[in-house]
């Protein structure tokens, strides 16, 4: 079976998450095509795409490849696929589409392709599909594909509708039908409607929380600990994906908000494990309440330091990193007994963006290895390219172009 995973804004993060989930679930696969926008995977067995997808924060949609042909066959092949798929369906059907190019140099042909597809879809509707009662959902003018919101809102992943993806590989055109797309409503609700929000502490987006949880590679039912849980975004996403969780934070106000949020989420969704433990404690004290070798993974964000409107000077950056280093040295020491051997700790540290895509990092992370941890690169180097970036120190940056303080995703492995 061949699938296309369409990647989010930071392809290295999306790919790292895909790699971690497939490894965790012991799904063997080969990669056929890797681009910053999508990846083509082949698996021996059919994937349970829905189960995989609900866990994922970094993938926008997944499609299944249903055909491949030459460019001059696009119209005939598309008509034949649509007719077959809709053979036994009565009633109105919506059809959307997107066009994707694997090779950068071919993307300049995109304007011609946009016109070409607009034209053939309107002609197909008028001619070959005239008995099928179809509504075509076109990409916006100047766009080659529908937004995830448009696919979701037009319900194009329902069986009675479809979204078709045309992938120009350079050799052939792949036709892929979208199976699932990000549920924008659910993310919006989890991010903005929860009762305990706190913009001051820089809440983590739920999608990033999901990615960090997946990078720990633990299986459903295992225990994830967040010792700097704040308002509980990581705990909330972990509960939604069937992990057991323990959270603590030194700040009582945050803990109150966190408890409210988890209560709220357990009312909104059916949770497999709703007996979570959340309490106020500095991390030094929190670990004393946990059993030795009981924690399967940590996913957490301690402080990212002050929020800046303009780039801080070298002295400020040095001081911020000195404080963070102190915290991490102590933290990695005290948490060791409660961690299982080989448990992964996924954390974010601040990375200061000097110029677009040029960062200053906390130099100290390698020195933490002598505390009995090794560092693990989140993404296999085979995926790396100029658009899919891994830092020289084997970490991945989560940033926006205008952001001064970006997040650096770092993974430590506990070696007993
Ligand atoms: C960036 S916030 C975590 C945000 C959280 N991921 C969320 O989405 O709400 C960092 C948290 O670390 C907590 N913290 C800082 N120092 C701590 C310490 N020594 N022990 C425990 N918690 C601490 C702060 O109270 C704060 O809530």
């Amino acid at each position: 079976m061949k699938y296309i995973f369409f990647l989010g804004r930071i392809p290295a993060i999306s790919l790292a998450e895909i790699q971690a989930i497939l490894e965790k679930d012991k799904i063997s696969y080969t990669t056929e095509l890797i681009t910053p926008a999508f990846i083509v995977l082949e698996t021996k067995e059919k994937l349970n795409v829905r189960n995989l997808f609900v866990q994922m924060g970094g993938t926008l949609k997944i499609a299944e490849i249903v055909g491949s042909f030459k460019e001059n066959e696009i119209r005939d092949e598309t008509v034949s696929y649509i007719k077959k798929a809709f053979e036994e369906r009565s009633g109105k059907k919506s059809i959307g589409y997107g066009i994707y190019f694997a090779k950068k140099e071919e993307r300049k042909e995109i304007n011609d392709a946009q016109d070409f597809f607009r034209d053939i879809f309107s002609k197909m509707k008028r001619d070959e599909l005239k008995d099928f009662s179809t509504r075509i959902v076109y990409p916006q003018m100047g766009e080659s594909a529908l937004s995830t919101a448009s696919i979701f809102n037009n319900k194009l992943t329902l069986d009675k509708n479809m979204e078709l993806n045309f992938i120009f590989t350079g050799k052939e055109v792949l036709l892929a039908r979208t199976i699932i797309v990000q549920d924008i409503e659910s993310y919006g609700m989890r991010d903005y409607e929860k009762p305990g929000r706190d913009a001051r502490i820089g809440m983590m987006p739920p999608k990033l929380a999901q990615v960090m949880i997946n990078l720990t590679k633990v299986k459903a039912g295992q225990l994830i600990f967040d010792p700097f849980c704040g308002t509980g975004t990581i705990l909330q996403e972990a509960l939604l994906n069937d992990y057991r969780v323990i959270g603590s934070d030194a700040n009582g106000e945050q803990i109150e908000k966190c408890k409210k949020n988890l209560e709220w989420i357990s009312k909104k969704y059916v949770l497999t494990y709703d007996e979570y433990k959340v309490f106020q404690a500095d991390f030094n004290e929190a670990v004393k309440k946990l059993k030795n070798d009981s924690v399967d993974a940590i996913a957490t964000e301690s402080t990212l330091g002050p929020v800046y409107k303009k780039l801080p000077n070298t002295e400020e950056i040095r001081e911020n990193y000195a404080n963070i280093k102190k915290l991490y040295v102590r933290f990695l020491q005290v948490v060791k007994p409660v961690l299982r051997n080989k448990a992964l700790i996924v954390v974010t540290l601040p990375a200061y963006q000097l110029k677009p895509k040029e960062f200053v990092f906390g130099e100290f992370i390698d020195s933490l290895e002598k505390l009995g941890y090794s560092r693990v690169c989140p993404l296999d180097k085979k995926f790396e390219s100029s658009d899919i970036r891994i830092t020289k120190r084997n970490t991945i940056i989560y940033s926006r172009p205008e952001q001064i303080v970006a997040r650096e995703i770092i993974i430590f492995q506990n070696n007993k």
Side-chain angles (χ1 to χ4, degrees), residues 33-199:
L33 204 55
I34 302 167
T35 81
F38 60 85
I39 178 170
V40 178
L41 293 184
E42 180 160 18
T43 59
K44 281 215 180 71
E45 274 145 49
K46 198 172 163 69
L47 291 180
N48 188 337
V49 171
R50 278 166 213 281
N51 274 6
L52 271 184
F53 191 76
V54 287
Q55 313 169 45
M56 302 175 97
T59 294
L60 302 177
K61 63 178 181 183
I62 300 179
E64 187 180 353
I65 296 184
V66 293
S68 63
F69 33 79
K70 298 204 178 66
E71 286 188 27
N72 61 6
E73 297 168 332
I74 291 175
R75 182 163 171 176
D76 289 348
E77 292 284 341
T78 306
V79 165
S80 131
Y81 177 76
I82 295 173
K83 280 190 168 173
K84 203 158 159 234
F86 284 163
E87 216 167 32
E88 306 204 331
R89 298 208 169 265
S90 54
K92 191 118 188 129
K93 308 157 192 76
S94 301
I95 305 176
Y97 67 86
I99 322 158
Y100 298 86
F101 286 86
K103 297 219 172 71
K104 251 188 187 163
E105 56 276 18
E106 283 168 8
R107 287 181 210 149
K108 60 180 182 305
E109 294 170 16
I110 208 106
N111 290 343
D112 295 342
Q114 286 170 2
D115 293 344
F116 171 77
F117 276 91
R118 253 177 199 277
D119 186 49
I120 62 164
F121 266 92
S122 66
K123 285 185 179 143
M124 279 191 291
K125 177 178 159 60
R126 189 194 62 200
D127 303 335
E128 295 99 319
L129 301 175
K130 67 174 185 306
D131 300 329
F132 275 80
S133 176
T134 53
R135 176 178 75 103
I136 309 295
V137 185
Y138 293 94
Q140 288 204 332
M141 274 304 191
E143 299 286 337
S144 313
L146 298 169
S147 64
T148 48
S150 169
I151 302 166
F152 183 82
N153 292 333
N154 284 292
K155 301 187 169 56
L156 296 183
T157 55
L158 296 185
D159 284 348
K160 69 178 175 100
N161 300 324
M162 69 170 75
E163 193 213 15
L164 295 174
N165 302 277
F166 297 87
I167 316 289
F168 289 79
T169 69
K171 279 190 274 175
E172 58 187 349
V173 183
L174 303 176
L175 178 67
R177 182 169 177 179
T178 305
I179 304 171
I180 196 158
V181 67
Q182 257 181 4
D183 179 346
I184 43 165
E185 274 173 19
S186 177
Y187 278 113
M189 187 176 81
R190 269 136 69 191
D191 204 3
Y192 299 109
E193 285 180 29
K194 60 185 174 191
R197 290 182 52 77
D198 191 338

Side-chain angles (χ1 to χ4, degrees), residues 185-224:
E185 274 173 19
S186 177
Y187 278 113
M189 187 176 81
R190 269 136 69 191
D191 204 3
Y192 299 109
E193 285 180 29
K194 60 185 174 191
R197 290 182 52 77
D198 191 338
R200 287 168 308 169
I201 61 157
M203 286 184 2
M204 178 174 280
K207 288 182 196 174
L208 178 59
Q210 281 185 311
V211 168
M212 289 177 66
I213 292 161
N214 286 321
L215 293 181
T216 68
K217 296 185 189 166
V218 290
K219 296 199 171 69
Q222 289 191 293
L223 177 65
I224 296 181

Side-chain angles (χ1 to χ4, degrees), residues 274-380:
D274 55 3
E275 289 168 20
Y276 47 82
K277 201 155 118 192
V278 173
F279 54 94
Q280 179 186 0
D282 180 275
F283 68 80
N284 287 285
E285 296 305 312
V287 292
K288 293 182 189 158
K289 301 204 170 143
L290 308 183
K291 289 200 195 94
N292 279 359
D293 295 316
S294 66
V295 173
D296 296 301
I298 290 178
T300 195
E301 176 165 275
S302 74
T303 176
L304 292 176
V307 177
Y308 292 102
K309 289 213 169 71
K310 64 178 186 39
L311 195 69
N313 62 37
T314 321
E315 184 51 31
E316 275 175 284
I317 293 179
R318 202 192 55 73
E319 202 179 309
N320 291 343
Y321 280 135
N323 289 333
I324 293 174
K325 176 179 179 182
K326 217 161 42 189
L327 181 136
Y328 270 94
V329 167
R330 182 76 190 128
F331 171 61
L332 290 177
Q333 282 169 338
V334 300
V335 81
K336 204 160 173 53
V338 304
L339 283 175
R340 277 193 211 276
N341 189 25
K342 304 290 174 207
L344 297 184
I345 304 181
V346 179
V347 300
T348 55
L349 288 188
Y352 297 92
Q353 189 161 210
L354 298 179
K355 291 186 204 152
K357 298 187 185 163
E358 202 182 308
F359 297 90
V360 177
F361 301 113
E363 292 295 338
F364 62 89
I365 57 166
D366 288 335
S367 70
L368 300 175
E369 299 199 16
K370 61 177 183 284
L371 301 173
Y373 296 91
S374 43
R375 281 210 302 104
V376 179
C377 185
L379 179 63
D380 195 318

